[in-house]
Amino acid sequence: MAHDLSEPRRQGTPRHGLWRHLLRATGRDTGPLVRPADRAHSRLVTGCALAVVAAFVLAAVAAWGTWNAEHRRALDDRQQRQQITATTVTRAAARTSPSGSGLTDRALAEATWNGPGKVRHKSVVEVPLGTPAGSPVRIWVDDDGGVTARPRTNADVVMATALAGVSVFTALSAASLGVFTIRARRLERRTLEAWESEWTVVEPRWSGRPGI
């Protein structure tokens, strides 16, 4: 025999509609087949739905905050960094790829360039593989003329924003669903235990057999 926490399905109505759970959770569904366990289950469903909505709101807040912070950093980067032309003084030497496979289209070479105040700089920079000595290469430098990473792009800002929003929503939703699953299983177990206890009393009367 299947044990369901809800009343039998009515023709043409959703069996587990959120609206029905909301009515049960607030005590407005007064049908004769609605048991206390059904109301408890509906409260769990309603609470889980509200938690998911809250997770979405918090994810939106996190994404908005991340976008503002990353956008300000990108503007600061563009103001404090500039791209100039350097000249390589050595032939490009292949570097080891992060994956350790040895496959890479980038290399390292020494290069020189003029920084602020015409100060001559010399350092190792990243260049395309196979770049010969004496080649012009484009590099990013800071206010002091030192080599630095390229500034954040709009794509970087969007990626960081999306990652923040998705991470917050996923974490909070997963936690909510985990709590719901644990509590729903406990409720179902208690309901089945109560049903079996009641059945031991009712079954002899219903079947006409003497109780044990």
Side-chain angles (χ1 to χ4, degrees):
M1 178 182 294
H3 305 294
D4 197 343
L5 294 178
S6 60
E7 66 185 71
R9 185 175 186 178
R10 296 175 183 173
Q11 187 67 25
T13 60
R15 188 178 186 183
H16 293 295
L18 183 58
W19 178 247
R20 175 172 294 181
H21 284 298
L22 181 61
L23 291 178
R24 287 180 180 174
T26 56
R28 296 185 179 182
D29 188 348
T30 57
L33 297 179
V34 178
R35 300 165 298 171
D38 297 323
R39 300 192 192 284
H41 180 72
S42 292
R43 285 194 292 270
L44 280 178
V45 173
T46 304
C48 183
L50 292 176
V52 172
V53 172
F56 179 81
V57 173
L58 292 176
V61 172
W64 177 252
T66 301
W67 187 89
N68 283 329
E70 292 294 325
H71 184 65
R72 286 195 298 269
R73 291 174 184 172
L75 291 178
D76 291 341
D77 287 349
R78 293 165 189 168
Q79 293 175 355
Q80 299 171 2
R81 304 176 189 183
Q82 59 179 322
Q83 194 174 32
I84 64 171
T85 299
T87 303
T88 59
V89 295
T90 62
R91 182 178 176 80
R95 66 175 187 176
T96 304
S97 64
S99 63
S101 64
L103 301 176
T104 178
D105 59 352
R106 307 296 295 176
L108 300 175
E110 284 192 357
T112 60
W113 64 92
N114 290 326
K118 301 299 181 181
V119 177
R120 196 68 174 172
H121 291 265
K122 182 178 182 180
S123 182
V124 175
V125 298
E126 189 178 68
V127 297
L129 185 63
T131 301
S135 300
V137 292
R138 300 289 286 174
I139 63 172
W140 286 95
V141 297
D142 56 25
D143 290 339
D144 297 325
V147 179
T148 187
R150 66 170 175 79
R152 292 174 176 83
T153 64
N154 291 334
D156 295 330
V157 174
V158 171
M159 182 63 68
T161 300
L163 182 61
V166 171
S167 298
V168 171
F169 180 77
T170 301
L172 294 180
S173 296
S176 300
L177 291 175
V179 171
F180 168 79
T181 300
I182 293 174
R183 298 189 63 180
R185 288 178 178 176
R186 291 178 179 174
L187 176 62
E188 183 178 11
R189 185 168 58 250
R190 290 197 301 267
T191 301
L192 291 177
E193 291 174 353
W195 184 89
E196 291 175 356
S197 177
E198 293 173 0
W199 182 247
T200 58
V201 176
V202 175
E203 193 272 339
R205 302 176 185 174
W206 175 75
S207 63
R209 296 188 304 106
I212 298 176

